Amino acid sequence: MKLRSSVVFGISALAVSGVHGTRNFQRQCRGLAHSLDISGARDVFSEFVPSGTVVELPVRDPSCNRTSQDVTVNLCRVGMSVSTSDRSGIYMEAWLPEHWSGRFLHTGNGGLGGCIMYEDIEYAASFGFASVGTNNGHDGVYGDDFLHNPDVVADYAYRAVHTGVVVGKDVTQSFYGTPHTKSYFLSCSAGGRSGFKEAQDFPEDFDGIIAGAPAISFNNITSWSCSFLPTTGPVGSPTFVPMDMWPIIHDDVLAQCDEIDGLRDGILESPDLCDYTPDCLICAEGQTTGCLTPTQAETVRTIYSPLVGEDGSLTYPRMQPGSEDTEAPAAYYYGVPFIEYEWFKYVVFNDSDWDPFSLAPPDYTFIHNQNPFDVETWKGDLSGFKERGGKMLTYHGLKDGVITSEISPLYYEHVSQTMGLSSSEMDDFYRLFRISGMAHCEGGPGAAFIGNTRRNMATEDPDENVLWSIVRWVEQGIAPDTITGTAYVNGSKSAGVAFKRKHCRWPFRNVYQGGDPDLEDSWGCVYSGLNVS
Ligand SMILES: *[C@@H]1O[C@H](CO)[C@@H](O)[C@H](O)[C@H]1NC(C)=O
Ligand SMILES: *[C@@H]1O[C@H](CO)[C@@H](O)[C@H](O)[C@H]1NC(C)=O
Ligand SMILES: *[C@@H]1O[C@H](CO)[C@@H](O)[C@H](O)[C@H]1NC(C)=O
Ligand SMILES: *[C@@H]1O[C@H](CO)[C@@H](O)[C@H](O)[C@H]1NC(C)=O
């Protein structure tokens, strides 16, 4: 790969190759746990893991559902617990590859966030990054550990990642005997929020941040993601839209909006321009199946309208049309509480009996005002990050069924206005790519393989891989104008490439220009401007 070799300069001169080198590496790794001196750390271990090993992972909480991880390079695995207060702490691991590039990388977590993303740590370590992840201050996917313990909330809001960075860089330097050259962050969803939190509050931590589908405006997205339950009501209630209607609604969305980008191909390049109405699906007289009652149609309209608060102002943007065939129906429209309602239970109301059907606009105000440790993550001033030369590469799937993609341009515009920067000035340090046909962080019928995870990687070419793209931007000053994604036949790599598409950066949108739609150059980026609700 021509481009990659120009990026992967600087495999550490310290990494001695060959059998002797590996024996040294093993010995140094075994000794590391005893030589580390990290304040607040306990239960430190270090073990050599040869390439090809399937590492058995500690089951700190079964809900994390990660029991093993394939390891594809020789590395030194370090683990420890680090206290963050007298009643809280993180568990963290650092995976230090034998062939170190000099780079440091920190990963993030999903949802309420108590599960280390070992697959991301391994992905980066396999490319020579010293890679770190934490449990975000508690174990498992649930929120009960937050109850009556604001220090665990603080870890979730900001402290786990920052602590992981400080300790992780220290461990990296102790092990290799020299500080890292550049530091990176890679994550999506709740971890995307952590990436923005770092840019806002700890701008020195990273040179480059990849923050996908970020759960920013955290309090408000919590209101939004919990608002679907009272909107649909329980299964079978008059407001509830039967699950078998969502594919029909999806076809109706495509009928109304697929041509906005110039081509009817089942993929919306600009769902923000889609002013969807379910009116055509309202049951004709005597019709009882494959249609919506007026009450159900109102439910659909509510879902595709912005969530407004008590005073009628925006709380959170609408679900983007086109996501009906992704995670959204099962996650949000199924008449059961979404996992984030535990934030209301255990952080906002401290009430294990709180009824998620009772959520109402005054609660949006309450959670917004509570905002512990500024978990909201909505500061518009990124000048600290910009001035230290930091680069932010963010992406959002335009079919995201968990975090609507409309939040990402909204925050971009907030930063642009707060800092008084035009989009070409924003381009210096902050680029947002909207990925058509991509669901939440991965998946979907679009050209959605962009290298944000190993599972979601097509190639290592920086034009097609966000991790190598941010490295090229930070280290060579070559900023990405587009990100090329790959779609596979039936979404399966083994079935071969279906097509590639160049995803435009905001405020541009992708428009079909003519010719073979499977060719990247049959599409072009045109100015879009702010059209989010
Ligand atoms: C656990 O992970 C496996 C493999 O990734 C998956 O098939 C299974 O559905 C998961 N189980 C739960 C409860 O999430
Ligand atoms: C979040 O919601 C609150 C309450 O509705 C509102 O006042 C605030 O402006 C919202 N924030 C954003 C970024 O929309
Ligand atoms: C819940 O507890 C937290 C701290 O433990 C406190 O800040 C908050 O005000 C409490 N919420 C309510 C509704 O009492
Ligand atoms: C893709 O899926 C379709 C429908 O399920 C099937 O007919 C076709 O053979 C698949 N193609 C490949 C290359 O797997």
Side-chain angles (χ1 to χ4, degrees):
M1 183 79 29
K2 171 173 56 80
L3 284 164
R4 189 195 163 189
S5 59
S6 67
V7 169
V8 189
F9 53 80
I11 289 281
S12 171
L14 301 172
V16 190
S17 54
V19 176
H20 293 297
T22 296
R23 258 193 231 124
N24 266 342
F25 182 80
Q26 287 184 41
R27 195 165 44 242
Q28 284 167 9
C29 179
R30 271 197 304 273
L32 179 64
H34 308 289
S35 63
L36 285 176
D37 180 21
I38 296 190
S39 100
R42 62 190 160 76
D43 303 331
V44 185
F45 72 85
S46 56
E47 64 180 24
F48 173 68
V49 181
S51 173
T53 306
V54 180
V55 172
E56 299 298 318
L57 299 171
V59 181
R60 298 178 58 86
D61 189 297
S63 68
C64 286
N65 194 23
R66 280 177 179 76
T67 51
S68 66
Q69 175 63 50
D70 293 347
V71 173
T72 59
V73 291
N74 287 349
L75 56 82
C76 181
R77 176 182 174 212
V78 186
M80 69 187 79
S81 297
V82 182
S83 63
T84 52
S85 76
D86 57 8
R87 55 176 180 174
S88 64
I90 60 170
Y91 174 72
M92 63 179 283
E93 293 205 14
W95 288 23
L96 309 170
E98 181 177 16
H99 296 288
W100 183 44
S101 62
R103 301 185 182 105
F104 174 83
L105 183 138
H106 202 288
T107 60
N109 306 47
L112 293 179
C115 303
I116 293 181
M117 305 280 266
Y118 286 98
E119 60 275 38
D120 293 344
I121 297 179
E122 203 284 331
Y123 178 52
S126 76
F127 290 139
F129 294 77
S131 304
V132 173
T134 85
N135 71 344
N136 248 351
H138 68 110
D139 291 314
V141 300
Y142 301 107
D144 46 321
D145 291 325
F146 296 132
L147 185 64
H148 300 311
N149 194 336
D151 274 302
V152 178
V153 177
D155 287 344
Y156 179 83
Y158 74 95
R159 198 166 49 190
V161 172
H162 181 61
T163 304
V165 170
V166 171
V167 173
K169 287 179 176 176
D170 193 359
V171 169
T172 300
Q173 174 161 7
S174 300
F175 184 61
Y176 294 109
T178 177
H180 68 277
T181 51
K182 296 290 177 190
S183 63
Y184 297 92
F185 180 84
L186 172 69
S187 196
C188 194
S189 195
R193 183 196 66 82
S194 298
F196 277 101
K197 190 74 183 160
E198 284 284 313
Q200 292 170 11
D201 289 351
F202 301 99
E204 288 309 315
D205 280 359
F206 296 112
D207 297 286
I209 293 176
I210 303 168
I216 47 178
S217 193
F218 179 84
N219 300 292
N220 290 13
I221 192 186
T222 304
S223 292
W224 178 76
S225 62
C226 294
S227 73
F228 296 108
L229 185 72
T231 296
T232 64
V235 180
S237 57
T239 44
F240 186 81
V241 176
M243 284 294 113
D244 59 9
M245 277 306 295
W246 289 106
I248 297 170
I249 296 167
H250 182 60
D251 288 344
D252 194 39
V253 167
L254 293 182
Q256 290 181 35
C257 294
D258 196 1
E259 231 152 355
I260 292 173
D261 57 26
L263 186 73
R264 212 165 258 290
D265 62 349
I267 296 170
L268 304 184
E269 296 289 339
S270 299
D272 52 321
L273 301 182
C274 175
D275 196 7
Y276 176 64
T277 150
D279 294 358
C280 303
L281 294 179
I282 293 177
C283 302
E285 214 172 306
Q287 190 186 2
T288 52
T289 57
C291 61
L292 299 169
T293 66
T295 306
Q296 291 167 343
E298 197 49 37
T299 298
V300 174
R301 275 188 215 103
T302 302
I303 289 170
Y304 295 117
S305 303
L307 184 71
V308 292
E310 282 180 287
D311 62 359
S313 68
L314 178 73
T315 293
Y316 197 79
R318 64 175 189 165
M319 178 60 90
Q320 81 272 281
S323 54
E324 307 75 26
D325 61 343
T326 63
E327 309 89 354
Y332 286 152
Y333 317 147
Y334 197 39
V336 295
F338 185 64
I339 181 74
E340 300 284 319
Y341 93 107
E342 297 211 338
W343 187 272
F344 272 109
K345 264 170 83 167
Y346 296 119
V347 181
V348 181
F349 296 127
N350 312 316
D351 174 5
S352 308
D353 295 327
W354 180 70
D355 173 12
F357 282 100
S358 72
L359 185 76
D363 302 324
Y364 313 160
T365 309
F366 192 83
I367 185 176
H368 175 72
N369 291 340
Q370 187 191 42
N371 190 26
F373 309 101
D374 197 17
V375 69
E376 183 70 352
T377 317
W378 195 256
K379 285 181 188 156
D381 181 3
L382 298 184
S383 50
F385 186 65
K386 178 179 188 289
E387 275 152 28
R388 62 92 77 214
K391 308 295 179 198
M392 168 67 74
L393 192 168
T394 179
Y395 62 89
H396 210 134
L398 291 177
K399 279 173 83 75
D400 192 320
V402 180
I403 298 180
T404 180
S405 59
E406 296 196 2
I407 194 65
S408 281
L410 205 59
Y411 180 68
Y412 179 101
E413 299 298 334
H414 175 53
V415 173
S416 161
Q417 277 163 26
T418 306
M419 295 178 71
L421 300 176
S422 68
S423 59
S424 60
E425 290 166 326
M426 293 281 283
D427 275 349
D428 288 344
F429 75 104
Y430 178 173
R431 294 185 180 217
L432 161 64
F433 296 90
R434 300 188 309 153
I435 313 296
S436 60
M438 184 197 233
H440 187 54
C441 300
E442 63 178 18
F449 284 72
I450 57 168
N452 52 322
T453 62
R454 183 192 298 287
R455 197 168 52 224
N456 212 37
M457 180 179 92
T459 75
E460 296 169 28
D461 183 334
D463 291 336
E464 304 188 356
N465 182 307
V466 288
L467 179 52
W468 287 116
S469 181
I470 193 96
V471 168
R472 184 172 62 175
W473 190 6
V474 165
E475 299 182 19
Q476 299 180 330
I478 302 171
D481 283 336
T482 55
I483 298 287
T484 300
T486 300
Y488 291 98
V489 176
N490 291 347
S492 151
K493 277 188 192 174
S494 57
V497 172
F499 61 93
K500 297 192 179 210
R501 199 167 287 177
K502 287 181 194 163
H503 301 292
C504 307
R505 72 185 186 284
W506 185 258
F508 297 91
R509 66 188 180 96
N510 215 354
V511 173
Y512 176 61
Q513 319 265 300
D516 180 352
D518 287 350
L519 298 179
E520 293 163 62
D521 292 337
S522 300
W523 297 79
C525 298
V526 304
Y527 184 76
S528 182
L530 184 64
N531 281 297
V532 290
S533 45

